[in-house]
Amino acid sequence: MDTVVWTQDLTKRYGRMDRVRQLNLTVPEGVIYGFLGPNGAGKSTTLKMLLGLVRPTAGEIELFGKNVNSANRLQILRQVGSLIESPSYYGHLSGEENLHILQKMRQLPERNVQEALKIVRLEAHRDKKVSHYSLGMKQRLGLAGALLAFPRLLILDEPTNGLDPAGIQEMRELICSLPERYDMTVLISSHLLSEIDQMANVVGIIRDGEMIFQDRLERLHARGQKQLALRTDDNLRAETFLSARNVPVQRNGQWLLVPNLDDDTVAACERLLLQQRIHLLRIEERQKSLEDIFLELTERA
Amino acid sequence: MVQAIRLEFFKMRGRCFGLLLLLCLLVQGAWLWWTFKSMSHLEIIQGWQHYLYQLPVLNAILLPVLMAVMASRAADIEHKGTMLRQLYTIQPAGKLLLSKLLYGGWYLVLLLAGQLLTMLLIGLYKGFYGPIPWGYFGCYLLFTFVITWCIYLVQLLLSLFITNQLIPLLVGAAGSFCGLFSLFFQQYWFSRLILWTYYSQLFLCGMNWDKETRITEMYWIQPDWAGFFLLTAGFLLTIVVGWRLLERKEC
């Protein structure tokens, strides 16, 4: 699988503060890459650096295998559509006129305007002034603008911000359909884990400007494997006893955490502990939610 | 570039540039009509010179504010819908500056054509003495165009860089004030450094006023080409610097 976006040690410093620090981002072709992080983590700054709207303090950016510099930036960006922070529009013009401006600037065929309007379901409102659009409609117009050239890479920065639940659902379905329908790679940022969980195949998690996790979504889910939590009347002896029998044990307050063992092994452990006169008081099955994993990753322990 | 200028016209539809210019022309026309309606015989003899003395003063008062408003309207449409972020991923920032500058320049040509027409109509109606001084009129139009376009450029840069449009508008108002009072300090070297003073620096007519007879006598002044070229050089330098700064601007 080819890499569409690749950065190495990408850094942005404002004064003495690193907004983004030595970020290595790799977005494979054809995926929906969820760029996740709390507010102020550096997501928008990173995306702006990819688009050349913010100059990196250090590091390298490659798009479609080409090193991006001021000379070739606009040429490379012809294959990129973007919607950063909030939709861009001329409020005094209609939705269709707005798209016509972008179409002419990008020297695209006229039919792309109609197609983009159709994709985002704004055909019925094409003649309405954008200043009279609702926020959801403006967001959809922004997406239409980004899709206008049917780019190979679509960069969306929190595209569901300010939308109502129905709008979020609609936007999500639309974004999910893009790689298959138009052979696009989507790089989408969000601070909402549930959103990324429902859309992305690959996830990058950023915290305080640093990438702390980057892999397929399943790998992130795998971190939330089931565990068994035990409480005995002598946790210290139980821990030593189980460890001596190659059962990995983690202490967690008054609990001992062991991997999710099969029923027979659990029964055997219980019997053995009893033989040692260690009484089992409680046993629970636990599973970390994706939210727990995200919080664990993004909050410093 | 032609496409960029066409799009600028398309984008600016309904932004009332034409109306603003018409309003300015009406104010200037009304002022001139009021001044010339009760002219003495001597004043009619020197009518064309009176024109070329009064119009730069009127321009110094009105045009800096008009240019500030026009530049602000041209830049504000990009700020309002956060369009700069989108445009800078499609075209070089400098191209946007140039297309807006040429767009403003076109309206400036219309304004000056309107001024010339007003001058000729009033002059011919009042029967100003002597042939029309086309050479001086040509210099007047050229000088006024470059000074005003330069002011528009400065205002445009301010309006593109500063999101809050009140600041560029205040600069425009201050420039107008400065232009009006520049008549008092045009003999000092430092006035060459203040853009808004060029309306008076490039005067093509002077005035002698006799205290005792209370007679005003107008006379021609040779065009100040050195001042004009200095201004033109400053204009080109501002384009280059503005272009580079815009390219470096983060948004």
Side-chain angles (χ1 to χ4, degrees), chain A residues 12 14 48 51 53-55 73-74 77 82 84-90 92-93 97 100-102 104-106 145, chain B residues 3 7 10-15 77-78 80-92 247-251:
Chain A
K12 180 65 190 177
Y14 288 110
K48 283 180 184 175
L51 292 166
L53 297 173
V54 166
R55 274 188 317 285
R73 181 179 79 91
L74 290 174
L77 289 182
S82 61
I84 298 292
E85 282 173 351
S86 51
S88 303
Y89 58 87
Y90 295 110
H92 64 291
L93 300 179
E97 286 170 338
H100 270 303
I101 289 174
L102 298 178
K104 290 204 167 101
M105 273 182 175
R106 287 179 173 260
Chain B
Q3 178 72 276
L7 284 175
F10 185 74
K11 280 194 278 186
M12 293 298 291
R13 280 183 316 149
R15 305 312 285 166
I77 59 162
E78 313 296 352
K80 264 188 187 160
T82 59
M83 270 310 283
L84 290 176
R85 214 177 278 154
Q86 176 80 268
L87 295 180
Y88 290 172
T89 62
I90 303 173
Q91 64 175 24
E247 300 262 310
R248 294 182 64 80
K249 185 180 185 291
E250 295 187 344
C251 52

Side-chain angles (χ1 to χ4, degrees), chain A residues 170-189:
Chain A
E170 200 181 339
M171 183 70 91
R172 193 187 297 142
E173 280 169 12
L174 180 60
I175 292 168
C176 286
S177 69
L178 293 174
E180 207 173 305
R181 275 171 75 186
Y182 303 105
D183 208 15
M184 282 180 197
T185 304
V186 183
L187 168 52
I188 178 170
S189 82

Side-chain angles (χ1 to χ4, degrees), chain B residues 49-199:
Chain B
Q49 288 166 320
H50 269 286
Y51 255 143
L52 292 179
Y53 188 85
Q54 295 213 6
L55 263 176
V57 177
L58 270 181
N59 287 340
I61 300 167
L62 289 176
L63 294 192
V65 176
L66 181 71
M67 290 303 114
V69 173
M70 277 169 57
S72 167
R73 289 182 80 76
D76 198 38
I77 59 162
E78 313 296 352
H79 289 303
K80 264 188 187 160
T82 59
M83 270 310 283
L84 290 176
R85 214 177 278 154
Q86 176 80 268
L87 295 180
Y88 290 172
T89 62
I90 303 173
Q91 64 175 24
K95 202 170 175 180
L96 179 77
L97 172 71
L98 218 54
S99 56
K100 285 196 183 292
L101 186 64
L102 290 169
Y103 177 78
W106 164 247
Y107 275 95
L108 199 50
V109 168
L110 290 183
L111 176 78
L112 291 178
Q115 273 195 0
L116 182 66
L117 195 68
T118 314
M119 282 195 286
L120 292 176
L121 285 177
I122 297 179
L124 294 174
Y125 178 76
K126 295 293 292 185
F128 286 171
Y129 183 77
I132 299 168
W134 288 111
Y136 282 103
F137 271 6
C139 283
Y140 162 78
L141 293 174
L142 179 68
F143 291 175
T144 310
F145 179 78
V146 175
I147 300 165
T148 315
W149 209 23
C150 199
I151 291 175
Y152 179 74
L153 170 65
V154 171
Q155 290 291 153
L156 187 59
L157 285 170
L158 285 173
S159 290
L160 283 172
F161 277 107
I162 304 168
T163 313
N164 181 355
Q165 294 302 303
L166 186 65
I167 299 165
L169 288 173
L170 285 175
V171 172
S176 192
F177 189 76
C178 191
L180 180 63
F181 285 93
S182 63
L183 291 169
F184 297 112
F185 54 85
Q186 67 186 116
Q187 68 273 28
Y188 299 109
W189 66 268
F190 63 82
S191 65
R192 289 267 191 203
L193 303 175
I194 304 167
L195 174 61
W196 293 269
T197 65
Y198 274 79
Y199 286 111

Side-chain angles (χ1 to χ4, degrees), chain A residues 214-274:
Chain A
Q214 182 171 237
D215 213 326
R216 298 199 70 84
L217 187 67
E218 303 90 72
R219 291 283 180 99
L220 189 65
H221 277 288
R223 289 196 171 207
Q225 281 171 344
K226 280 181 186 167
Q227 284 185 313
L228 291 178
L230 315 174
R231 195 145 73 86
T232 67
D233 58 356
D234 192 344
N235 276 354
L236 198 64
R237 274 183 61 220
E239 187 184 351
T240 318
F241 179 76
L242 290 170
S243 300
R245 273 149 192 82
N246 292 327
V247 179
V249 187
Q250 255 183 304
R251 205 182 299 183
N252 185 354
Q254 292 187 322
W255 296 87
L256 296 176
L257 300 176
V258 296
N260 188 26
L261 307 168
D262 60 65
D263 292 352
D264 291 343
T265 317
V266 172
C269 281
E270 188 188 0
R271 221 172 22 248
L272 287 168
L273 286 170
L274 202 59

